[in-house]
Amino acid sequence: MRTSDGYIVAEKLYNENIENGIFSGKVVQTFDAVKFENLHAVNPLNGRSSHIVLGEHVLMENGTGCVHTAPGHGEDDYRIGLKYNLEVVMPVDETGCFDETVVLDRLFPNPEEFVGKHIFKSNDAILELLGESLLKQSKFRHSYPHCWRSHTPLIFRATKQWFIAVDQKPVGEERTLREIALDEIAKTSFYPETGRKRLRSMVENRPDWCISRQRDWGVPIALFRVKATGEVILDEKVLNFVAMIFEMQGSDAWYNMEIGELLYPGSGYKPEELEKVTDILDVWFDSGSTWNAVLKSRNYDAGKYPTDLYVEGSDQHRGWFQSSLFLSAAVQSKAPYKGILTHGFTVDSKGEKMSKSKGNVVAPEKVIKQYGSEILRFWVAMSDYQTDLKISDEILKQISEQYRKLRNTFRFLLANIDDLETVMPYAEMGELDRWIVSKAQGVFDETHKQFSEYNFVGGMSTLNYFIVNELSGIFMDITKDRLYCDAKDDVHRRASQSAMAIIAKSLLGLIAPILTYTADEIIESAPAVIKGDAESIFDIVYTPIDVEYSLFDEAYMVKAREGFSEVVDALKKEKRIKSTLELLIYGDSAKINALAAVEAEDWFVVSGIKTGTPAETLGEFEVDGDTFVIGMATAAKCPRCWKFHSVDEDTLCERCAKVMNV
């Protein structure tokens, strides 16, 4: 609307301006703002023509509804300037001071006085120059971007930059750079899979990549420019000559050597007619080209291109993963990686970011000193890296207990196969031995698959469950009698030893990448039946177990063992027994009767499995319709094996007597 005293103001802001005394006239005319579009006004400071445009970024919270637009000093202004083809005037140098542009374009009545003056220190002088054209001056608090390092206000400047155009086609390609990148994302494996959507979304929506920066340090954009015309020299011989110097002396040569020394002698240009481009490369260009330096330069024995995996934090979808993808796609038309793995960040036990001021920092060197490097590595493997990783003394203590369990399991296995020279064929083993080897085969195959998919926490969880429950909790417990009391070369003893050797050898190959020092220590103590000709853990390759599937009904037998354990716990609380060897189990289960007598006894660690009923029933349990009754052993306790198989407590049982040649 237009006022009677000649002012134009937005309708919503009329009353506010009346109250602030900006003008006092009444409304004499109203019209749509579009009528002003592409008209021109006169700048009261310098008399220059000002193009009037419409912009959605102009707010109606205060002011008049009309704002000054400077395409050279703000993103919104720049974009509206592109729409209306406005001149980009940028009279501020890299130090934040006015440069000679204010003189050349006569931006002030006395422009010479502003050259070299910082813009934040020029406000008062500019307001004074406005004179009566300044209707009102006020200060207000508002949000403004600051430098994260120096915490000082930023100055937006439109400058000439170097870009990689993502929607243009590289030489020899039918697809644009963006299309190549998107196609390669579709071929790449992601761990976790959610990373694919995140990277694809960023690539789909990103603008052209500005690869130049204005810094006093960094990798230079090593190009010459003709002073008179500003033309950049892209002659191949000139570029190769500079590249050769860089290869011999490093990129600092760009700063240390004169143009005459860097210029190819046969270029046809005179050094005094040229100037160096002083921009440096974006650091993401540096990191994004590491695939070329490491894998393609032949300077390192670092594997093949493309590499199998890129590993970084989840913030690198915007950074390293993307910069590497675009550079590789531009040069090689493919991604530099076959897979991308992202991880979270280390936080304390409460999930809070670590900070010295909070005193919650857990330093790796402290963990290594207190717990050892193996515990730190084990913690990493046992943590879900797809989210933030929690760590504290309490967590490390829990990890230490799990590590101790694994270590003690290996100690037990090695101690009990020390005299084993030949592994018994799987088919000749007893039912329990075949069961544990078959069980280990399934667990190890699943663990190896999870490790191959970088699911370490899943693999370690699967492995730990097997070690704690089936291997240590059942098999190592039920085979102690045959390992310690059978004859040295008894078939049952050798079968269980062979099962342990098969499991230990395969398990060693699984844990070696995670617990390398422990695995190497195991190799030093392992018998030849496990390590063969290996001198260190680095000679060991994971070998999967390959046996036929066991027909042992694990579900039924575990239920029976658990039912028996419940009765035993009650008997021990009542102090009626001290050991399960004092007991006999009575029942008529076809599945248990199908087992060899010694196998059935060892499964429950009792002195016998009988049919019929006991003289005194101590308890009973049921499994899938089969009823079992528990009674006291009727024979005497053998002083050697402690099974109740003897005629009296001073006489060895028949098995022990043969072993001892009595």
Side-chain angles (χ1 to χ4, degrees):
M1 56 179 58
R2 180 169 65 86
T3 67
S4 58
D5 47 357
Y7 294 97
I8 296 174
V9 65
E11 183 178 2
K12 290 183 179 180
L13 296 169
Y14 172 78
N15 290 332
E16 180 182 324
N17 280 274
I18 288 289
E19 293 173 2
N20 291 332
I22 305 300
F23 47 76
S24 58
K26 296 181 179 180
V27 176
V28 296
Q29 184 182 8
T30 59
F31 38 77
D32 292 332
V34 293
K35 291 185 178 293
F36 286 97
E37 187 175 21
N38 292 319
L39 296 181
H40 288 77
V42 177
N43 187 322
L45 193 62
N46 51 34
R48 289 164 58 91
S49 175
S50 290
H51 187 165
I52 300 176
V53 300
L54 303 179
E56 296 293 334
H57 63 287
V58 180
L59 303 178
M60 301 295 288
E61 296 174 356
N62 49 47
T64 64
C66 298
V67 298
H68 171 252
T69 294
H73 294 283
E75 184 175 357
D76 288 334
D77 291 15
Y78 180 76
R79 293 189 182 282
I80 202 68
L82 290 177
K83 178 180 178 180
Y84 287 96
N85 196 29
L86 301 181
E87 179 186 6
V88 179
V89 179
M90 210 289 293
V92 181
D93 63 20
E94 61 273 9
T95 67
C97 298
F98 286 113
D99 61 16
E100 291 291 339
T101 305
V102 296
V103 177
L104 296 174
D105 291 349
R106 306 298 299 178
L107 299 183
F108 300 113
N110 51 341
E112 293 81 3
E113 296 180 13
F114 285 88
V115 175
K117 192 172 184 178
H118 197 278
I119 62 171
F120 290 159
K121 297 179 180 179
S122 303
N123 290 332
D124 291 339
I126 294 174
L127 293 176
E128 186 177 343
L129 287 175
L130 284 170
E132 295 181 356
S133 296
L134 179 62
L135 299 181
K136 183 177 177 61
Q137 173 189 349
S138 64
K139 293 183 179 181
F140 63 97
R141 183 179 296 275
H142 66 107
S143 176
Y144 189 83
H146 282 60
C147 173
W148 64 271
R149 179 174 292 172
S150 63
H151 305 293
T152 54
L154 296 178
I155 299 173
F156 290 89
R157 301 167 60 241
T159 57
K160 291 183 179 179
Q161 304 288 351
W162 296 86
F163 290 85
I164 292 179
V166 297
D167 289 315
Q168 292 190 20
K169 300 175 182 178
V171 177
E173 267 290 338
E174 295 297 321
R175 300 167 296 170
T176 66
L177 184 55
R178 192 193 304 273
E179 290 169 343
I180 297 173
L182 290 172
D183 288 345
E184 290 303 299
I185 290 173
K187 300 175 186 176
T188 302
S189 300
F190 285 82
Y191 310 94
E193 177 61 28
T194 52
R196 183 190 310 277
K197 183 178 180 181
R198 187 174 184 189
L199 183 58
R200 183 176 63 238
S201 175
M202 290 180 175
V203 169
E204 285 175 341
N205 298 297
R206 71 156 299 142
D208 289 341
W209 180 9
C210 178
I211 61 170
S212 54
R213 296 291 185 272
Q214 290 67 52
R215 300 284 189 277
D216 290 330
W217 51 270
V219 177
I221 297 179
L223 298 171
F224 295 113
R225 187 164 43 212
V226 178
K227 292 179 181 178
T229 63
E231 175 194 359
V232 176
I233 298 173
L234 298 176
D235 183 276
E236 185 175 355
K237 293 181 179 179
V238 173
L239 298 177
N240 286 338
F241 189 76
V242 174
M244 179 186 69
I245 294 174
F246 277 24
E247 188 170 353
M248 293 186 296
Q249 301 186 35
S251 60
D252 280 352
W254 189 251
Y255 307 109
N256 300 331
M257 297 175 65
E258 299 296 330
I259 293 178
E261 300 173 281
L262 294 166
L263 184 62
Y264 174 62
S267 67
Y269 294 95
K270 296 180 180 180
E272 61 271 16
E273 297 175 347
L274 305 178
E275 63 183 3
K276 297 177 184 177
V277 170
T278 57
D279 298 334
I280 66 163
L281 284 168
D282 174 17
V283 291
W284 289 114
F285 190 101
D286 295 350
S287 63
S289 60
T290 49
W291 57 267
N292 185 66
V294 176
L295 300 175
K296 299 281 286 183
S297 67
R298 300 180 182 178
N299 292 330
Y300 309 96
D301 181 16
K304 298 179 180 179
Y305 168 87
T307 191
D308 291 325
L309 192 71
Y310 266 40
V311 182
E312 248 294 356
S314 53
D315 58 335
Q316 292 305 312
H317 292 101
R318 188 179 301 279
W320 188 42
F321 299 144
Q322 194 174 153
S323 63
S324 300
L325 173 62
F326 273 109
L327 287 179
S328 183
V331 178
Q332 300 289 335
S333 297
K334 60 182 177 182
Y337 37 66
K338 298 176 184 176
I340 285 177
L341 184 149
T342 52
H343 56 77
F345 300 91
T346 305
V347 296
D348 67 12
S349 58
K350 298 179 182 178
E352 295 182 359
K353 181 180 178 182
M354 292 190 183
S355 169
K356 290 182 179 179
S357 60
K358 292 182 180 179
N360 63 345
V361 174
V362 180
E365 57 268 24
K366 179 185 176 183
V367 176
I368 293 173
K369 185 176 180 180
Q370 184 174 352
Y371 296 97
S373 61
E374 293 290 74
I375 300 301
L376 188 60
R377 293 164 68 93
F378 202 39
W379 165 76
V380 173
M382 294 291 291
S383 301
D384 185 1
Y385 63 79
Q386 294 184 13
T387 60
D388 287 343
L389 287 73
K390 293 182 179 180
I391 188 170
S392 66
D393 283 337
E394 188 60 35
I395 292 173
L396 290 170
K397 287 177 182 177
Q398 295 173 10
I399 295 293
S400 297
E401 286 301 316
Q402 292 174 302
Y403 169 77
R404 191 173 292 109
K405 183 65 177 178
L406 178 62
R407 185 181 179 88
N408 287 340
T409 298
F410 267 107
R411 289 180 65 182
F412 182 92
L413 296 176
L414 295 182
N416 284 286
I417 61 175
D418 190 54
D419 63 342
L420 182 67
E421 296 180 355
T422 305
V423 174
M424 179 184 291
Y426 175 77
E428 298 177 14
M429 294 180 183
E431 193 66 48
L432 300 183
D433 303 309
R434 291 200 299 272
W435 162 71
I436 197 64
V437 172
S438 176
K439 182 73 176 180
Q441 175 179 248
V443 170
F444 293 176
D445 286 350
E446 176 62 21
T447 300
H448 189 264
K449 176 177 178 291
Q450 290 174 310
F451 282 178
S452 300
E453 295 169 349
Y454 309 106
N455 182 9
F456 299 109
V457 65
M460 287 306 304
S461 178
T462 301
L463 198 59
N464 273 335
Y465 186 88
F466 167 73
I467 291 171
V468 171
N469 293 280
E470 286 96 7
L471 181 59
S472 177
I474 297 178
F475 186 73
M476 286 164 51
D477 180 49
I478 66 179
T479 56
K480 288 177 181 177
D481 177 75
R482 64 183 64 177
L483 291 170
Y484 301 155
C485 299
D486 280 356
K488 178 179 179 181
D489 293 321
D490 183 88
V491 64
H492 293 100
R493 182 173 185 272
R494 289 305 190 196
S496 294
Q497 283 183 307
S498 297
M500 290 180 178
I502 293 170
I503 291 170
K505 183 176 181 178
S506 192
L507 179 58
L508 181 62
L510 273 180
I511 69 159
I514 296 170
L515 301 173
T516 309
Y517 293 110
T518 301
D520 199 44
E521 189 179 351
I522 291 169
I523 280 292
E524 291 179 3
S525 305
V529 72
I530 288 182
K531 67 180 180 181
D533 298 328
E535 296 181 0
S536 77
I537 191 58
F538 299 106
D539 297 323
I540 295 292
V541 176
Y542 169 69
T543 305
I545 298 173
D546 185 15
V547 296
E548 294 181 3
Y549 181 73
S550 170
L551 298 178
F552 182 76
D553 193 338
E554 178 185 337
Y556 179 91
M557 294 301 292
V558 169
K559 284 182 184 178
R561 185 177 164 90
E562 290 173 348
F564 174 65
S565 296
E566 289 179 8
V567 177
V568 168
D569 289 342
L571 292 173
K572 287 183 176 180
K573 286 181 180 179
E574 296 170 4
K575 298 185 178 180
R576 299 190 66 179
I577 64 169
K578 293 182 179 179
S579 167
T580 56
L581 291 175
E582 300 174 39
L583 304 174
L584 298 176
I585 297 178
Y586 293 82
D588 193 23
S589 167
K591 293 181 178 179
I592 290 181
N593 290 340
L595 296 174
V598 67
E599 300 278 276
E601 282 184 19
D602 285 351
W603 179 257
F604 294 100
V605 194
V606 294
S607 290
I609 306 292
K610 304 285 185 179
T611 57
T613 57
E616 180 187 1
T617 298
L618 300 180
E620 60 181 57
F621 61 94
E622 185 177 312
V623 180
D624 296 349
D626 294 332
T627 301
F628 299 87
V629 180
I630 300 171
M632 293 296 294
T634 54
K637 180 180 179 180
C638 173
R640 179 173 179 270
C641 70
W642 295 3
K643 280 191 173 184
F644 284 69
H645 287 175
S646 297
V647 294
D648 59 62
E649 293 187 356
D650 295 324
T651 304
L652 295 178
C653 67
E654 183 179 350
R655 186 264 308 260
C656 290
K658 287 182 180 180
V659 174
M660 301 303 294
N661 292 321
V662 176

